[in-house]
Every structure is written in C-alpha cells, then in structure tokens.
Amino acid sequence: MKKVLTIGEVLVEIVATTRGEGFLQAQPLVGPFPSGAPAIFIDQVGKLGTPCAIVSRVGDDDFGRVNIERLSADGVDVSGIEIAPGETTGSAFVRYREDGSRAFLYNIRHSACGKIRPTPASEALVEGCGHLHVMGSALSVPDLGGMVMDAARRIKARGGTISFDPNLRPELLDAPGMRRALEAVLAMTDLFLPSGEELFLFDAAGDEAGAVEALLGRGIRSIVVKRGAAGASLFQNGLRVDAPPLAVEELDPTGAGDAFGGAFLAFWLADADPAQALRLANAAGARAVTRLGPMEGTSNRAELDALLQDPKG
Ligand code: ADP
C-alpha cells in the first residue's frame, strides 16, 4: 500500500459552545482540540490503517504536543513535524453566528506553522511516500506553496498519485499566482475532491455534467463532489454514484470535508469498489459533524460500519 503524505498547518482549535455575535456572547469555549485541515485529513487516513505522514511545524509547547500525541496515537508518522523552540503552535477560535454560520479567528501566519520549510525529515518523507494529498489553501502561502508543488512533481515523476482538495476561501483565489498554481496541481491530479461550487473553479460554465466531463477529460481518474448536508457524488470512467446524506444530528461541521476526503482516499488507494468507498466516506463525513471539535469525529472502520447500519446510533 502506498504511503500517503500531506503538507500543511497543524494547530489547535478552541470552539464556542453557544451561538453569539461575539466571543463574549458565545461562552463557554471548549478546547484546545487538535486541528488544521491537513492534520484532520491525515488523522482520518491513519485511523483506517493506511500508512501516512504529515509535514508541518509546531512550537515546543502543549498545543503542539496535543497534536503530536493524537496523530501518533491514530497511526500517523509525525517524524516530519518540526518542533520549533521559542515559537508558538498555531491556533484558531471558532464561534457560530446567530444564523448558524461560522466565524473563524486564526493565529497561523505568525505561529510555527506559518513557516513550514523543507527539513531532512520532510525530504525523506517526500522520497518515501507514494501519494501526496494537496490542500489548495497551502498554495496561497508563498514558500509552502512552492514546497508542496515540488513534492507533487517529485512524487508524480516517480509514478506516485496526487489527490487535491481545493479547500479554498474565495478571497484566496486572488492571491498572486494562485490560479496558475491551481492549474498546475490539477494537471497532476488523480483524485479531485471539490466541495460544491469548487467543481466550477476551472470551467465556470456552471453546469455540473459539463464541468465533470471537462475535468475527466484533463486526465483526472476520480472526482468526488462533497455536498455538505446533501451527501456526495462520485464521477469516474462513465460512472456516477450518489450517496444520500446519512440522517445524523449536526453538532459541529468543521473538519467534515477533511474526514470525508481522508476516508475516501484510504479506500480509493486500496482499490475498493467505488460505490463502497463513497458510502464509507459519506459515513466518515456524517460522523465528523456529530462531534464537537474538528478532529474528534474521525473514525475507524468499525465506527463507519456501525454508523452505516444505524445512523441514529
Ligand atoms: P467541506 O467541509 O469540505 O465543505 P462538506 O461540508 O461538504 O465538506 O462535508 C463533507 C461530507 O460530509 C459531505 O459530502 C457529506 O458526505 C458529509 N456531511 C457533511 N455534513 C453533513 C450532515 N449535516 N449530515 C450528513 N452528512 C454530512
């Protein structure tokens, strides 16, 4: 089985437990929870027993340890997480507005994970892994973006595979060179994991069938569209499979897309039946939203099977 690598931010998340238009109104807060989109993704891959690793950077502090302990316990190789003495691990605060939408306050750029860079350990992982998962948000950070592109080219040149989750806030699209970087990654992508509208990032026609056809025409093997509370769809090779949403109670949607992606990739790499891979990933996304804290709802295989048997559990 190919070893999966991802590169990007590791941080902690502190989450408001009530709705409110400010953090003083949304008390109490709970956490710190391990977090970071690439970290949640790779934790889900590890929980399914697929060999995997992350390259990142944390401070020599409790917030960094929260992540390293959780990821290693779940089977992730953490040798590529650089521990930077004197620096602070990144953090994010999340609250829910009265309308249910989320407001994030990030402390990433000036924390340890804002300076992820190649190290001997990260180089060894790029050489040793056969699959790279690329997060679009990483491409907007100049040095990190270059490092991810370099890893993608090297792994692809050795016959490895690439998955790509655009994971993009719209304002990031206007970052210098972003469109070019997205196009370059897409040209190497084997498995594309857009959320809703991200399907139209590269062909703005606005018609789903047309966008899918154009993307498959570019050489992408599988496209999985995440549709939040409406489930997910898989397109490959003339095949379309839809997974209706599982009827779970949504408590905290942060991290669902990453848990979904990590699970789908684990089964895709194992050459599972595509419909079965989609069903299990749909369950991973659904289970993720039932837990408070972004990484608290990643799942092992038994938990996915149990949810599929009885979503009300
Ligand atoms: P992202 O966080 O990348 O935008 P989504 O919000 O689309 O990802 O969630 C990923 C997947 O998780 C969905 O495609 C679906 O399978 C599952 N999911 C998300 N929210 C719910 C929900 N409320 N009920 C059931 N499944 C959900």
Side-chain angles (χ1 to χ4, degrees):
M1 167 78 77
K2 281 177 182 162
K3 183 167 179 174
V4 178
L5 179 65
T6 196
I7 305 176
E9 71 277 12
V10 159
L11 53 128
V12 291
E13 193 164 302
I14 290 111
V15 187
T17 53
T18 59
R19 290 185 179 187
E21 293 309 314
F23 277 102
L24 289 180
Q25 290 77 41
Q27 298 282 332
L29 305 178
V30 293
F33 293 111
S35 189
I40 300 161
F41 174 91
I42 210 72
D43 188 71
Q44 178 57 79
V45 175
K47 271 201 171 171
L48 290 169
T50 301
C52 60
I54 184 166
V55 166
S56 191
R57 199 159 179 275
V58 296
D60 187 6
D61 55 21
D62 277 352
F63 285 178
R65 282 187 279 280
V66 160
N67 278 285
I68 289 174
E69 282 168 22
R70 170 67 63 82
L71 291 169
S72 352
D74 290 343
V76 180
D77 174 351
V78 295
S79 63
I81 301 184
E82 184 186 6
I83 300 175
E87 295 185 37
T88 311
T89 299
S91 54
F93 292 77
V94 188
R95 69 176 164 82
Y96 292 86
R97 300 189 187 93
E98 296 294 356
D99 66 4
S101 64
R102 285 169 287 175
F104 289 90
L105 193 161
Y106 288 108
N107 171 27
I108 298 183
R109 197 163 292 254
H110 302 292
S111 65
C113 69
K115 285 176 266 171
I116 298 171
R117 57 191 182 176
T119 63
S122 75
E123 286 294 296
L125 287 170
V126 172
E127 288 308 312
C129 289
H131 182 94
L132 181 73
H133 179 69
V134 177
M135 293 275 175
S137 49
L139 301 175
S140 66
V141 185
D143 292 346
L144 177 59
M147 188 177 163
V148 169
M149 292 298 294
D150 174 63
R153 288 195 187 99
R154 285 160 60 190
I155 289 175
K156 191 79 181 175
R158 284 202 317 271
T161 42
I162 307 287
S163 50
F164 177 33
D165 183 340
N167 189 29
L168 275 179
R169 282 172 278 140
E171 64 272 20
L172 291 182
L173 270 180
D174 299 325
M178 189 63 179
R179 292 257 172 206
R180 212 168 349 107
L182 288 172
E183 286 283 351
V185 174
L186 196 73
M188 293 187 270
T189 296
D190 301 282
L191 166 60
F192 185 46
L193 293 154
S195 288
E197 292 297 305
E198 289 170 350
L199 182 64
F200 306 112
L201 268 179
F202 303 94
D203 296 278
D207 160 55
E208 182 166 283
V212 164
E213 198 180 322
L215 287 164
L216 293 175
R218 287 170 178 241
I220 294 175
R221 178 140 56 101
S222 310
I223 301 171
V224 186
V225 182
K226 295 170 278 173
R227 305 187 197 275
S233 304
L234 164 68
F235 303 88
Q236 67 180 41
N237 227 350
L239 176 79
R240 173 184 178 144
V241 187
D242 295 303
L246 294 173
V248 294
E249 193 178 333
E250 182 176 301
L251 186 62
D252 179 6
T254 309
D258 303 313
F260 177 102
F264 188 84
L265 176 67
F267 296 114
W268 185 85
L269 281 176
D271 275 332
D273 168 63
Q276 171 74 342
L278 186 70
R279 244 189 323 273
L280 287 158
N282 192 43
R287 191 165 177 279
V289 307
T290 64
R291 301 290 192 283
L292 193 62
M295 199 190 281
E296 306 312 297
T298 53
S299 310
N300 61 33
R301 177 63 194 259
E303 288 163 338
L304 296 182
D305 288 337
L307 185 69
L308 282 168
Q309 279 197 343
D310 180 10
K312 294 281 176 210

